[in-house]
Amino acid sequence: MDITAWSNFQSLMSTYWFVWLAIALIPSIIMGIFTSKLAKKKGYRGYFFTGFFFNLIGLIYVVGLPLAKDCSY
């Protein structure tokens, strides 16, 4: 890769920084919502950030949670 191609790539990256930010954040937000809804179904609250920061590991953790004692099924 020559210097002009690298410079063009850096220019493109800096121009569309919001697209790259969205590409990074959207899957984390979706996983956070998914883990939160699954935890709520099991009787727990507040697991959005577990899915947001830990993605698949957080989802596996929430799947492994037992049903809450006060869960009315």
Side-chain angles (χ1 to χ4, degrees):
M1 196 182 256
D2 62 345
I3 223 45
T4 57
W6 182 253
S7 177
N8 289 339
F9 178 72
Q10 285 179 331
S11 173
L12 184 69
M13 289 287 288
S14 65
T15 304
Y16 296 109
W17 63 270
F18 53 89
V19 173
W20 299 107
L21 184 66
I23 289 172
L25 286 179
I26 288 175
S28 293
I29 292 170
I30 291 171
M31 189 63 75
I33 292 169
F34 187 64
T35 55
S36 175
K37 287 187 180 282
L38 181 62
K40 186 175 182 182
K41 204 174 210 183
K42 288 187 161 206
Y44 295 95
R45 293 182 15 208
Y47 278 87
F48 174 80
F49 289 110
T50 303
F52 183 82
F53 288 117
F54 300 114
N55 292 328
L56 189 59
I57 294 171
L59 178 65
I60 292 170
Y61 175 76
V62 170
V63 166
L65 287 174
L67 290 176
K69 290 184 172 130
D70 58 348
C71 189
S72 59
Y73 277 113

Short mmCIF file of all heavy atoms in Angstrom, two decimals, residues 2 6 12 14 17 19 27-28 39 50-51 53 59 61 63 65 73:
data_model
loop_
_atom_site.label_atom_id
_atom_site.label_comp_id
_atom_site.label_asym_id
_atom_site.label_seq_id
_atom_site.Cartn_x
_atom_site.Cartn_y
_atom_site.Cartn_z
N ASP A 2 0.74 2.06 -0.99
CA ASP A 2 1.57 3.26 -1.04
C ASP A 2 0.98 4.37 -0.16
O ASP A 2 -0.10 4.25 0.38
CB ASP A 2 1.76 3.74 -2.48
CG ASP A 2 0.46 4.13 -3.15
OD1 ASP A 2 -0.60 3.77 -2.60
OD2 ASP A 2 0.50 4.79 -4.19
N TRP A 6 -2.95 5.13 1.47
CA TRP A 6 -3.14 5.21 2.91
C TRP A 6 -3.75 6.54 3.32
O TRP A 6 -4.63 6.61 4.17
CB TRP A 6 -1.82 4.97 3.63
CG TRP A 6 -1.94 5.00 5.11
CD1 TRP A 6 -1.52 5.98 5.95
CD2 TRP A 6 -2.56 4.02 5.93
NE1 TRP A 6 -1.82 5.68 7.24
CE2 TRP A 6 -2.47 4.47 7.26
CE3 TRP A 6 -3.18 2.82 5.68
CZ2 TRP A 6 -2.99 3.75 8.32
CZ3 TRP A 6 -3.68 2.10 6.76
CH2 TRP A 6 -3.58 2.58 8.05
N LEU A 12 -11.06 9.05 4.11
CA LEU A 12 -12.37 8.41 4.07
C LEU A 12 -12.85 8.03 5.47
O LEU A 12 -14.01 8.23 5.81
CB LEU A 12 -12.32 7.17 3.18
CG LEU A 12 -13.63 6.44 2.94
CD1 LEU A 12 -14.54 7.30 2.08
CD2 LEU A 12 -13.38 5.12 2.27
N SER A 14 -12.00 9.43 8.33
CA SER A 14 -12.31 10.61 9.13
C SER A 14 -13.59 11.30 8.64
O SER A 14 -14.29 11.94 9.42
CB SER A 14 -11.15 11.59 9.12
OG SER A 14 -10.93 12.10 7.82
N TRP A 17 -16.80 8.96 10.07
CA TRP A 17 -16.56 8.39 11.40
C TRP A 17 -17.85 7.91 12.05
O TRP A 17 -17.85 6.93 12.77
CB TRP A 17 -15.86 9.41 12.30
CG TRP A 17 -16.69 10.64 12.55
CD1 TRP A 17 -16.69 11.77 11.82
CD2 TRP A 17 -17.66 10.82 13.58
NE1 TRP A 17 -17.60 12.66 12.33
CE2 TRP A 17 -18.20 12.11 13.41
CE3 TRP A 17 -18.11 10.04 14.63
CZ2 TRP A 17 -19.18 12.60 14.26
CZ3 TRP A 17 -19.08 10.54 15.48
CH2 TRP A 17 -19.61 11.82 15.28
N VAL A 19 -20.41 6.51 10.66
CA VAL A 19 -20.81 5.21 10.11
C VAL A 19 -20.05 4.10 10.84
O VAL A 19 -20.63 3.08 11.22
CB VAL A 19 -20.56 5.14 8.59
CG1 VAL A 19 -20.82 3.75 8.06
CG2 VAL A 19 -21.41 6.16 7.87
N PRO A 27 -24.59 -3.63 16.93
CA PRO A 27 -24.67 -5.01 17.43
C PRO A 27 -24.64 -5.10 18.95
O PRO A 27 -25.33 -5.94 19.54
CB PRO A 27 -23.43 -5.69 16.83
CG PRO A 27 -23.08 -4.86 15.66
CD PRO A 27 -23.47 -3.46 16.00
N SER A 28 -23.90 -4.22 19.61
CA SER A 28 -23.85 -4.23 21.07
C SER A 28 -25.19 -3.82 21.66
O SER A 28 -25.64 -4.39 22.66
CB SER A 28 -22.75 -3.30 21.57
OG SER A 28 -21.49 -3.79 21.21
N ALA A 39 -33.49 -11.93 30.35
CA ALA A 39 -33.38 -11.91 31.81
C ALA A 39 -34.72 -11.52 32.43
O ALA A 39 -35.10 -12.07 33.47
CB ALA A 39 -32.29 -10.93 32.24
N THR A 50 -24.83 -6.17 30.66
CA THR A 50 -24.15 -7.46 30.53
C THR A 50 -24.06 -7.86 29.07
O THR A 50 -23.01 -8.28 28.59
CB THR A 50 -24.90 -8.54 31.33
OG1 THR A 50 -25.00 -8.13 32.69
CG2 THR A 50 -24.20 -9.87 31.25
N GLY A 51 -25.15 -7.71 28.34
CA GLY A 51 -25.14 -8.02 26.92
C GLY A 51 -24.41 -6.97 26.10
O GLY A 51 -23.78 -7.29 25.10
N PHE A 53 -21.76 -4.99 26.99
CA PHE A 53 -20.30 -5.03 27.10
C PHE A 53 -19.71 -6.41 26.82
O PHE A 53 -18.59 -6.51 26.32
CB PHE A 53 -19.86 -4.56 28.49
CG PHE A 53 -20.04 -3.08 28.68
CD1 PHE A 53 -20.90 -2.61 29.65
CD2 PHE A 53 -19.37 -2.18 27.90
CE1 PHE A 53 -21.07 -1.25 29.84
CE2 PHE A 53 -19.53 -0.83 28.07
CZ PHE A 53 -20.38 -0.36 29.03
N LEU A 59 -24.65 -13.17 26.94
CA LEU A 59 -25.84 -13.94 26.57
C LEU A 59 -25.79 -15.34 27.16
O LEU A 59 -26.78 -15.83 27.70
CB LEU A 59 -25.98 -14.01 25.05
CG LEU A 59 -27.15 -14.81 24.52
CD1 LEU A 59 -28.47 -14.16 24.92
CD2 LEU A 59 -27.07 -14.96 23.03
N TYR A 61 -24.23 -16.22 29.81
CA TYR A 61 -24.44 -16.05 31.25
C TYR A 61 -25.93 -15.93 31.58
O TYR A 61 -26.41 -16.57 32.51
CB TYR A 61 -23.68 -14.82 31.75
CG TYR A 61 -23.93 -14.50 33.19
CD1 TYR A 61 -23.34 -15.26 34.20
CD2 TYR A 61 -24.75 -13.45 33.56
CE1 TYR A 61 -23.56 -14.97 35.52
CE2 TYR A 61 -24.99 -13.16 34.88
CZ TYR A 61 -24.38 -13.92 35.87
OH TYR A 61 -24.62 -13.63 37.18
N VAL A 63 -28.47 -16.92 29.78
CA VAL A 63 -29.15 -18.18 29.47
C VAL A 63 -28.97 -19.17 30.63
O VAL A 63 -29.88 -19.92 30.97
CB VAL A 63 -28.61 -18.78 28.15
CG1 VAL A 63 -29.03 -20.22 27.97
CG2 VAL A 63 -29.10 -17.95 26.97
N LEU A 65 -28.74 -18.49 33.79
CA LEU A 65 -29.37 -18.07 35.05
C LEU A 65 -30.58 -18.93 35.35
O LEU A 65 -31.37 -19.24 34.45
CB LEU A 65 -29.82 -16.61 34.97
CG LEU A 65 -28.76 -15.53 35.01
CD1 LEU A 65 -29.39 -14.16 34.75
CD2 LEU A 65 -28.05 -15.52 36.34
N TYR A 73 -44.57 -18.37 37.12
CA TYR A 73 -44.89 -19.21 35.98
C TYR A 73 -45.78 -20.34 36.42
O TYR A 73 -45.59 -21.11 37.25
CB TYR A 73 -43.62 -19.79 35.31
CG TYR A 73 -42.99 -18.83 34.36
CD1 TYR A 73 -41.76 -18.28 34.64
CD2 TYR A 73 -43.62 -18.47 33.19
CE1 TYR A 73 -41.17 -17.38 33.76
CE2 TYR A 73 -43.04 -17.59 32.31
CZ TYR A 73 -41.81 -17.06 32.60
OH TYR A 73 -41.23 -16.19 31.72
#
